Amino acid sequence: MAKQKKSARRQAREYALQGVYAWIISGFSPQEVGAIDAHVQNEAKAEFGQADITWYKTLLYGVFDQHESLREHFQPFLDRDVNELSPIEHGVLLLGTYELVHSLDVPYRVAINEAVELAKEFGGVDGFKFVNGVLDKVAAEVRPLELNTAN
């Protein structure tokens, strides 16, 4: 079976996750987002041009700029301290929460599904289930009208 080509937005999310992951494990300051951005682009080389670069930058710089408030949205729904999350789960929750809070043009189900797919591809065995559960609760908090309309 041929592998399905990833959309430009999916690729942008993957690159943004790589940047957020590098930031989480490296201990860089959020003000060093430019260095992390350059590193991600350098590592991706020619493939980077296939991604939605505007979306990548929106996500990466948005997460770095809003990381504290994003954590405030999902921390109440964690079963452990944020510092005990795997770096992938942490990064995916930051990205997914950013989309739910700041990208109202992205339907909540799409934002959650994209986060779940990132967790499946890059995270641990059942990490996607954890991410899904947390983001479902964040969506109920930040997009109650959209959830009520969809149900």
Side-chain angles (χ1 to χ4, degrees):
M1 183 171 183
K3 196 172 185 180
Q4 186 176 357
K5 184 174 175 356
K6 294 178 183 175
S7 73
R9 276 211 161 182
R10 169 71 57 85
Q11 290 174 317
R13 288 179 178 98
E14 289 181 4
Y15 289 131
L17 178 60
Q18 289 175 19
V20 172
Y21 175 84
W23 165 61
I24 290 169
I25 65 167
S26 70
F28 278 119
S29 150
Q31 289 74 30
E32 297 177 82
V33 65
I36 290 174
D37 179 12
H39 174 75
V40 169
Q41 290 190 48
N42 185 52
E43 288 295 310
K45 306 217 184 317
E47 292 87 26
F48 189 79
Q50 297 170 7
D52 180 336
I53 296 167
T54 301
W55 188 238
Y56 157 78
K57 287 188 177 280
T58 297
L59 292 173
L60 183 68
Y61 285 79
V63 165
F64 275 62
D65 186 50
Q66 301 292 319
H67 67 277
E68 290 172 355
S69 67
L70 297 173
R71 286 185 185 121
E72 289 173 11
H73 281 289
F74 66 73
Q75 191 144 13
F77 308 117
L78 299 180
D79 59 0
R80 55 190 169 265
D81 187 73
V82 70
N83 296 320
E84 295 174 14
L85 295 172
S86 79
I88 292 294
E89 289 172 351
H90 189 180
V92 170
L93 287 173
L94 285 166
L95 288 167
T97 302
Y98 181 86
E99 284 197 62
L100 288 170
V101 173
H102 297 285
S103 302
L104 300 180
D105 60 315
V106 176
Y108 83 94
R109 288 184 177 163
V110 172
I112 293 172
N113 185 61
E114 289 293 327
V116 166
E117 290 303 315
L118 287 172
K120 283 180 181 177
E121 186 166 347
F122 299 104
V125 176
D126 287 331
F128 73 94
K129 294 176 186 174
F130 174 74
V131 165
N132 187 49
V134 172
L135 291 179
D136 276 342
K137 292 173 183 157
V138 171
E141 175 190 277
V142 300
R143 295 199 190 179
L145 295 177
E146 187 179 352
L147 263 72
N148 289 338
T149 304
N151 293 330

